[in-house]
Amino acid sequence: MNFKHFLRYCKGYLMIISCLCLTGCWDMVEVNQLAIVNFIGLDKNPDTGMYTVYYHIINPSGIATQKTSGINSPIYSYRIESKTIGEIYDKMLDKIPRRPFFDHYQSLVVTERTAKEGVEELINYLVKHSDNRSTIHMFVTGSRLSDIMDTYTTLERMPGRVIHTIVENQSKQSGRASKQSRVKDLVENMESSSLTILPLITLSSSQPKPTTNRYEQIDANKGNIVLDGGAVFKRGHMIGKLKPMEMPLVNLLNGQIMTFHQSLNLAGGHVDVRAMSIKVHKKILIQAGQPVLKIDIKANLDILENSQTTKLTVQNLDEIKKKFNEQVSEEAHRFYEKTKRMGWDILGVEEQIKRNHIKIGEVIPKDKNIWDETRLEITVTCIIQSVGDTIDPLKKKR
């Protein structure tokens, strides 16, 4: 046997041995054997201590159907009650004839009363189980949990994906929501003084009867899930609410959004602008024995609407930029004074003081409130990069 034949036989034996080592798909599970969870809702009765949990289980045939009548439900909502969170999984197996699969679920909502009582037990449960994702968005609702969980949403048929996508889009387009509203963001701030803001959701109007006939109606507003401001959390407890109009400013000051809208009233009319490419830099220092929070904001502006009677000259552009800078600064100071009165460290003053190793006792006496002693200095600078296809507002000929 020559050397070439020997190599050929060796290769053949190696291939046979390698095939013996292959295990195959011994642990494969078919999709129709899984109960794929998309959305979870949780409420705790403070009087009885009972947990009520809703699971949205995906119905693949209901999502794939293209029928215009007799539509199958894309999801099924299972309601489970338990005295402890640990028992919920076992009770889930009693009702769902498939293997629960949590790896792809997208949203978690808790009731307002549960949030106020505290979500530490829930968070501890989530982070200790590998199949519970900590990167999902977490929401709070003041509506009845059953109404939220029994709502059929339009266009996107899975409510969990709907509100997940709304947060992603709003963080990019309007600033009314921030991507830093996940379970992991709440966990990171659980043992510090930093606050976490989670989106508040509600139903847009009276809910229609929860049937799949919803898909055959043109009115998509009734019973839709919408954002309704923000829930402020400190160490796992909800301590207050933010109005929807306050959310863009909060997210701007914390550098958590990509877009910020403002309507500016000028002498010649009003101008709507959109800030893009936003850069926010925050630092805290001591000036004359007083803590000062300095925030520098830089942005590029697009002019979305211009109802001025004057032409868009260089001087007019300067007036728009000046008005934008002043208005954002004034709104930031008013909001900061509100947070001082409420005792909310939304801008993270205390944590920044700790990171900069500033000894509070040497600057602020112990009997003084840090919120009353910390001053805000904000600098806003912008450039106008786009004015649309026309430079001046269109006017009718007389």
Side-chain angles (χ1 to χ4, degrees):
M1 180 184 296
N2 58 33
F3 186 71
K4 289 184 178 179
H5 287 138
F6 175 75
L7 289 177
R8 189 179 302 164
Y9 283 118
C10 287
K11 290 180 179 179
Y13 284 126
L14 288 173
M15 291 177 64
I16 294 173
I17 294 172
S18 299
C19 290
L20 294 175
C21 296
L22 297 176
T23 58
C25 298
W26 60 271
D27 61 344
M28 182 182 68
V29 180
E30 297 290 344
V31 173
N32 59 8
Q33 296 176 316
L34 296 176
I36 303 175
V37 180
N38 176 258
F39 188 26
I40 298 176
L42 183 140
D43 176 48
K44 183 179 181 181
N45 189 323
D47 298 325
T48 63
M50 290 289 293
Y51 286 95
T52 301
V53 183
Y54 288 82
Y55 289 99
H56 276 187
I57 306 299
I58 296 176
N59 176 23
S61 62
I63 294 176
T65 184
Q66 299 295 322
K67 299 178 182 178
T68 59
S69 62
I71 302 174
N72 293 326
S73 176
I75 49 99
Y76 291 111
S77 180
Y78 288 85
R79 181 175 181 267
I80 298 170
E81 292 185 346
S82 175
K83 292 182 179 180
T84 65
I85 292 181
E87 292 179 348
I88 293 173
Y89 185 84
D90 293 335
K91 290 192 173 184
M92 184 180 182
L93 295 176
D94 293 337
K95 292 189 175 183
I96 301 176
R98 295 185 180 182
R99 171 183 165 186
F101 185 76
F102 295 92
D103 290 16
H104 291 168
Y105 87 102
Q106 296 184 319
S107 302
L108 169 68
V109 60
V110 300
T111 58
E112 192 173 312
R113 67 178 183 177
T114 303
K116 289 179 178 178
E117 186 176 349
V119 294
E120 299 97 326
E121 189 175 358
L122 171 63
I123 296 300
N124 283 328
Y125 177 81
L126 292 175
V127 299
K128 288 180 180 179
H129 291 75
S130 59
D131 57 351
N132 284 292
R133 299 166 54 203
S134 62
T135 55
I136 62 167
H137 287 294
M138 186 170 174
F139 300 84
V140 178
T141 182
S143 302
R144 292 176 55 190
L145 186 60
S146 58
D147 291 343
I148 293 290
M149 301 305 293
D150 292 342
T151 293
Y152 282 106
T153 51
T154 54
L155 290 182
E156 176 54 65
R157 295 187 175 186
M158 292 182 287
R161 184 179 294 176
V162 166
I163 57 178
H164 171 91
T165 306
I166 286 175
V167 168
E168 296 290 319
N169 290 339
Q170 291 279 23
S171 66
K172 297 176 183 177
Q173 304 298 329
S174 72
R176 293 185 61 198
S178 167
K179 290 184 178 180
Q180 295 184 13
S181 57
R182 303 158 296 181
V183 171
K184 69 182 296 293
D185 299 310
L186 191 61
V187 172
E188 290 173 356
N189 296 333
M190 188 71 75
E191 297 180 350
S192 71
S193 62
S194 297
L195 303 185
T196 307
I197 302 175
L198 301 182
L200 277 167
I201 58 173
T202 188
L203 294 178
S204 59
S205 61
S206 59
Q207 184 186 15
K209 187 176 180 181
T211 67
T212 52
N213 292 334
R214 170 76 187 278
Y215 300 132
E216 299 179 356
Q217 306 299 320
I218 192 171
D219 190 350
N221 288 327
K222 291 183 179 179
N224 227 17
I225 300 175
V226 296
L227 295 180
D228 191 34
V232 182
F233 278 78
K234 183 174 183 178
R235 295 189 174 95
H237 291 258
M238 179 179 168
I239 61 174
K241 296 181 183 180
L242 292 173
K243 299 176 181 178
M245 65 183 67
E246 294 175 323
M247 292 297 293
L249 182 62
V250 174
N251 293 327
L252 172 69
L253 296 176
N254 284 322
Q256 296 178 359
I257 55 175
M258 303 170 61
T259 306
F260 181 72
H261 294 260
Q262 281 282 281
S263 181
L264 311 176
N265 292 319
L266 301 171
H270 79 273
V271 179
D272 286 346
V273 297
R274 175 178 58 192
M276 305 285 290
S277 303
I278 301 171
K279 295 181 181 179
V280 180
H281 178 69
K282 294 196 296 185
K283 65 178 179 179
I284 194 160
L285 43 84
I286 304 298
Q287 290 182 346
Q290 181 183 25
V292 178
L293 175 63
K294 289 198 170 189
I295 301 180
D296 294 323
I297 300 175
K298 295 181 180 180
N300 296 334
L301 296 187
D302 290 344
I303 295 180
L304 303 179
E305 182 184 1
N306 185 3
S307 66
Q308 297 181 103
T309 56
T310 59
K311 288 184 174 293
L312 201 63
T313 61
V314 174
Q315 182 180 359
N316 186 235
L317 289 174
D318 289 338
E319 292 176 359
I320 294 173
K321 291 189 291 184
K322 181 181 178 182
K323 182 64 176 180
F324 176 81
N325 298 343
E326 291 177 350
Q327 186 165 305
V328 172
S329 180
E330 290 172 0
E331 290 181 2
H333 277 92
R334 282 196 298 268
F335 178 75
Y336 183 65
E337 291 302 317
K338 174 185 175 179
T339 63
K340 289 168 67 174
R341 293 192 300 270
M342 303 297 294
W344 297 348
D345 187 13
I346 288 181
L347 301 185
V349 173
E350 187 173 338
E351 287 301 313
Q352 291 185 67
I353 287 176
K354 290 179 180 178
R355 284 196 298 269
N356 286 273
H357 305 289
I358 299 175
K359 295 182 179 180
I360 301 299
E362 298 178 0
V363 180
I364 302 175
K366 293 183 179 180
D367 60 339
K368 293 288 186 179
N369 191 336
I370 187 173
W371 303 103
D372 296 330
E373 300 298 323
T374 303
R375 188 176 78 252
L376 174 66
E377 288 187 4
I378 182 168
T379 304
V380 184
T381 55
C382 64
I383 59 173
I384 297 178
Q385 64 174 9
S386 174
V387 295
D389 293 334
T390 59
I391 296 179
D392 297 319
L394 299 175
K395 296 181 177 63
K396 293 181 179 179
K397 293 182 178 181
R398 293 183 179 180

